[in-house]
Amino acid sequence: MYEVRFYQGDYNDRQAKANEDQCIAYVEHHFNSSSNVEAGYSMVVTGANASQTSINWGRWYAGAVSRGLDVSLGGDRGVVVGGYNGLGDYNLRYTDMPAVLLEPLFASNPWHATRIRDENSQAQLAGILSESIQRFFPQGGVVGFSVGHKYKESNPNDRGASVYGGGTEADYAEIVLNKAKILLESVSEVQTKREVRVLQGTDLLWAHTIDADTSVTWDPVLGVLQLGSISG
Ligand SMILES: [Zn+2]
């Protein structure tokens, strides 16, 4: 259903190649960084000329990271259109398809950095990305991936920010994208029915299809997940 292609070279060349290949979606992966080590939130940048689909997709992804990895949500409900002072806009503005630049965690924040370097959290980020693409592009097709900073002809040694505790932004972004590629390319059909799932880490313990109109409530004190109202 999905084929993932990694694009390298300068950012405008990556986008031109993705347009040529008629990608259905384009993702550039970064990790954020700040001189304030306490700064830490999930956020997505879109181009200033982004479609509403890019913005909605970015909000869905940033929100899922915020809930799943228990970090705050940055930007306007998770999205900064046009990037901070234009930073990030150039990375996406020439794409013909919906495109997002991911900044799910902060490399400079010690607690976030632990997650960035942790294999289970990398798998979780890859899972959220893969699922966001299935939700927003259920028809399948070629998906373009771009590792932020790395493989630019203009600056071949750029690896982005240093990750607190060791490693670089670009190398960890590449690890997550590689995991997401494996997940996406193994999708044989997109889930079109509404499903409730129980996960342990990223392992699926239980899944159940429910009606689109069923209300779902979780009572953390009783430990009961109620599907539909008790009377109904
Ligand atoms: Zn970056």
Side-chain angles (χ1 to χ4, degrees):
M1 276 205 70
Y2 296 97
E3 181 198 334
V4 171
R5 293 186 195 161
F6 278 87
Y7 294 104
Q8 302 185 348
D10 289 333
Y11 292 134
N12 53 336
D13 294 331
R14 299 181 192 195
Q15 295 170 73
K17 194 77 194 33
N19 291 343
E20 212 175 284
D21 290 351
Q22 298 187 306
C23 284
I24 52 157
Y26 184 87
V27 178
E28 186 163 297
H29 204 305
H30 290 247
F31 287 104
N32 221 326
S33 179
S34 167
S35 53
N36 171 11
V37 296
E38 289 185 9
Y41 46 80
S42 164
M43 198 246 324
V44 166
V45 167
T46 71
N49 59 353
S51 66
Q52 193 62 47
T53 300
S54 299
I55 295 166
N56 292 344
W57 176 23
R59 286 208 169 113
W60 193 98
Y61 169 87
V65 171
S66 165
R67 294 186 302 273
L69 285 95
D70 195 22
V71 296
S72 9
L73 193 57
D76 173 12
R77 290 172 284 158
V79 167
V80 177
V81 175
Y84 282 115
N85 301 318
L87 198 63
D89 180 39
Y90 193 84
N91 307 48
L92 304 173
R93 68 191 299 175
Y94 302 112
T95 54
D96 290 341
M97 72 293 303
V100 287
L101 188 156
L102 312 179
E103 306 264 20
L105 296 167
F106 272 68
S108 46
N109 176 308
W111 186 75
H112 281 218
T114 306
R115 312 298 287 276
I116 292 171
R117 298 166 62 226
D118 168 59
E119 239 179 84
N120 290 326
S121 303
Q122 292 160 6
Q124 209 179 345
L125 288 175
I128 292 168
L129 175 58
S130 163
E131 194 146 327
S132 77
I133 291 167
Q134 293 171 64
R135 297 273 179 137
F136 282 80
F137 310 96
Q139 75 280 17
V142 180
V143 177
F145 277 4
S146 163
V147 180
H149 304 279
K150 211 171 173 177
Y151 307 117
K152 284 182 297 187
E153 274 165 33
S154 58
N155 188 359
N157 297 320
D158 186 9
R159 295 289 181 278
S162 301
V163 177
Y164 186 93
T168 66
E169 173 194 345
D171 288 336
Y172 285 113
E174 188 167 33
I175 289 170
V176 172
L177 286 180
N178 275 318
K179 288 180 192 290
K181 174 185 162 80
I182 292 169
L183 290 174
L184 264 181
E185 291 187 341
S186 69
V187 171
S188 54
E189 67 180 314
V190 169
Q191 174 66 253
T192 53
K193 296 221 171 77
R194 188 166 173 225
E195 205 180 44
V196 173
R197 286 172 290 173
V198 175
L199 302 178
Q200 190 161 48
T202 52
D203 293 335
L204 179 65
L205 297 183
W206 179 82
H208 185 66
T209 302
I210 58 169
D211 187 88
D213 292 327
T214 302
S215 66
V216 178
T217 45
W218 166 243
D219 186 325
V221 178
L222 290 176
V224 168
L225 184 74
Q226 184 74 45
L227 305 178
S229 62
I230 293 169
S231 57

